[in-house]
Amino acid sequence: MPRQGRWSSVGISVILGHSDSTSGRSLFALQVVAPPEQKKTADRSALRVALVVALAHGLTDAYQSFVPPLLPRIMDDLGLSITLAATLAVSFSVAGALPQPLFGYLADRLGRRGFAVAGPLVAGVFVASIGFAPTFLILVLLLTVGGLGSAAFHPAGASYAVRVSEGKGGGTRYSIFAFGGAFGFALGPIAAVSLVQWGGMERTWIAMLPVVFLAPLIYLGLPRGAPRTSRDVALLPRPAAVLTQLRGPLGLMFGISATMAYAQRTFMTMEPIIVADAGGSETLGAVALSVYLGAQSLGMVTGGLLADRMNRRTLLLQICVWALPAHVLAVWLGPESLLGLTAIATAGFLALAALPPIVVMAQELMPSAAAITSGIVMGLAWATGSLGVLGTGALADVIGPHPATMLSMPMILLAIGFALHPALNKVSHPPSASE
């Protein structure tokens, strides 16, 4: 433990002889502890930033959920099999997820503001352009670039929201950020179907207008931040040091996030196809997704609030245990009845409730690399989970979409196993109010 000397009247804490385990450097740190009135101002500033990035998150994730309810229409227009439709969805998801650690690494070094603003703009412009795609390959290209915009935004946005240096309350701030994203996710399917039913696929470009108009406001609402000096960059942990953490708690968090992402992406991709295969309408498939994704917003807010108030390992375990039967029932019953919609809402609530505690735990594990650790437990995990959807799509072409999706949901057992691992105890307790 470092030795500390404190002078409470002037708010200064000196930490001597602290060794940074991630870089091997011995550091002399001077920490200024803000007086109460300054802390209240900082809290308000952190809350304002969380609200701004929540708006940007909502826009970004609305475009992320824009495509799944249109898959049956795209399959008919382009003559695609379920496997190719799943490939389209997975390409979009992987492009929006896999590069996140790289974008997080760059955001930690170059500054977060540009990534947090350009990401939603690129996502919106390219996703909204899918109506102009004449072929499957052009469609894949547009969605891949749009996905890269989403990947650029998420690590920087999550780092802005949690602001781990502010201490206690990171879970609450992340829940605000996450609520914005989940609200956008829920709005995306209804907006996509409504727009296409009104004007056809050739009018999807209209969907880019909100982000084009709001991007300048998001830029002005985010703090500029001090420019990174060469010394600042030198003190940041190197990628190899971050990756070594995957052998410990960070790897377990990654595993839980990837498994839950697989369940979520499988449901999002297959449910509209299941509904269409059973003779249901495009609107019914969109309603199922909106109920699922809308409930996710409540789940993420709840997960973030509880992450500041209870043992996080216990929280993750409970979420994963209940998510398994909820998803099985959601797929089995479908959206045709009130009971089915209730099961879908419950599954949605639990699907991403684990994400806020995971992101906060990852950032607290390596505070100086908040963006890249966020990219690992969000983007890299989501990409890994999304790749599994390819197998579900291939199986659906053989045995049908409904039984293939039912057989996929027991994968959540892996998340339960990861959550039971005692190594998570290292980061399971939220910081005290004084931290």
Side-chain angles (χ1 to χ4, degrees):
M1 291 291 291
R3 290 177 286 123
Q4 300 186 5
R6 294 186 182 271
W7 294 268
S8 58
S9 59
V10 293
I12 295 178
S13 170
V14 178
I15 304 176
L16 298 173
H18 173 67
S19 177
D20 183 354
S21 60
T22 64
S23 64
R25 296 179 177 89
S26 179
L27 303 178
F28 176 91
L30 178 65
Q31 178 184 359
V32 179
V33 181
E37 63 274 10
Q38 292 183 13
K39 186 176 187 304
K40 289 180 181 178
T41 301
D43 288 344
R44 286 194 295 270
S45 175
L47 179 61
R48 177 181 61 81
V49 171
L51 290 171
V52 172
V53 291
L55 171 62
H57 196 192
L59 289 168
T60 305
D61 282 7
Y63 296 114
Q64 283 288 102
S65 64
F66 195 83
V67 177
L70 300 180
L71 284 178
R73 182 185 289 259
I74 292 171
M75 289 170 66
D76 290 339
D77 290 347
L78 299 180
L80 304 180
S81 66
I82 295 177
T83 300
L84 282 179
T87 301
L88 187 67
V90 169
S91 299
F92 187 31
S93 296
V94 170
L98 188 60
Q100 283 194 29
L102 173 61
F103 283 119
Y105 175 80
L106 294 173
D108 281 331
R109 281 153 177 75
L110 303 177
R112 300 167 292 183
R113 197 183 191 189
F115 293 95
V117 177
L121 188 59
V122 171
V125 169
F126 281 87
V127 171
S129 299
I130 63 173
F132 300 130
T135 66
F136 175 76
L137 290 179
I138 296 297
L139 191 57
V140 169
L141 179 62
L142 289 172
L143 291 178
T144 298
V145 178
L148 289 174
S150 175
F153 167 77
H154 277 90
S159 178
Y160 263 129
V162 174
R163 299 186 75 173
V164 71
S165 61
E166 301 291 340
K168 188 174 177 65
T172 300
R173 290 188 292 272
Y174 185 84
S175 72
I176 295 171
F177 170 76
F179 178 83
F183 183 81
F185 244 121
L187 185 63
I190 294 296
V193 170
S194 299
L195 183 60
V196 169
Q197 287 181 344
W198 167 70
M201 288 293 290
E202 62 271 16
R203 298 290 179 88
T204 58
W205 66 269
I206 295 173
M208 73 175 69
L209 297 180
V211 73
V212 170
F213 288 125
L214 289 173
L217 298 179
I218 294 169
Y219 180 82
L220 295 173
L222 293 176
R224 180 181 303 173
R228 291 282 193 184
T229 66
S230 57
R231 184 177 182 277
D232 292 333
V233 173
L235 290 174
L236 293 172
R238 293 174 180 157
V242 178
L243 292 176
T244 58
Q245 295 291 330
L246 287 171
R247 294 198 295 261
L250 187 63
L252 295 170
M253 293 179 240
F254 167 84
I256 296 170
S257 185
T259 306
M260 297 301 288
Y262 169 72
Q264 184 223 26
R265 301 298 166 118
T266 296
F267 185 88
M268 285 182 59
T269 301
M270 300 304 298
E271 186 62 21
I273 297 173
I274 292 171
V275 170
D277 187 64
S281 67
E282 190 176 52
T283 300
L284 183 60
V287 167
L289 289 187
S290 288
V291 169
Y292 183 80
L293 296 169
Q296 283 186 358
S297 64
L298 297 178
M300 285 197 283
V301 169
T302 304
L305 294 173
L306 291 177
D308 287 334
R309 291 165 173 79
M310 66 177 289
N311 184 287
R312 289 145 175 185
R313 180 189 170 203
T314 302
L315 175 60
L316 289 174
L317 180 60
Q318 292 293 328
I319 290 170
C320 295
V321 165
W322 289 107
L324 175 55
H327 277 81
V328 170
L329 283 174
V331 176
W332 183 32
L333 296 173
E336 290 83 4
S337 66
L338 179 60
L339 183 60
L341 288 173
T342 301
I344 290 172
T346 304
F349 179 89
L350 294 165
L352 287 188
L355 188 58
I358 287 173
V359 173
V360 174
M361 290 161 70
Q363 292 194 19
E364 289 178 357
L365 186 66
M366 299 190 73
S368 61
I372 189 172
T373 53
S374 297
I376 289 171
V377 298
M378 293 192 305
L380 188 60
W382 296 344
T384 303
S386 296
L387 287 173
V389 181
L390 288 174
T392 303
L395 183 63
D397 274 330
V398 178
I399 67 173
H402 189 266
T405 307
M406 286 289 290
L407 288 173
S408 300
M409 292 307 164
M411 286 289 289
I412 296 174
L413 288 169
L414 285 176
I416 296 172
F418 292 135
L420 285 168
H421 200 287
L424 284 179
N425 287 330
K426 179 180 178 182
V427 283
S428 64
H429 298 286
S432 64
S434 61
E435 290 183 291

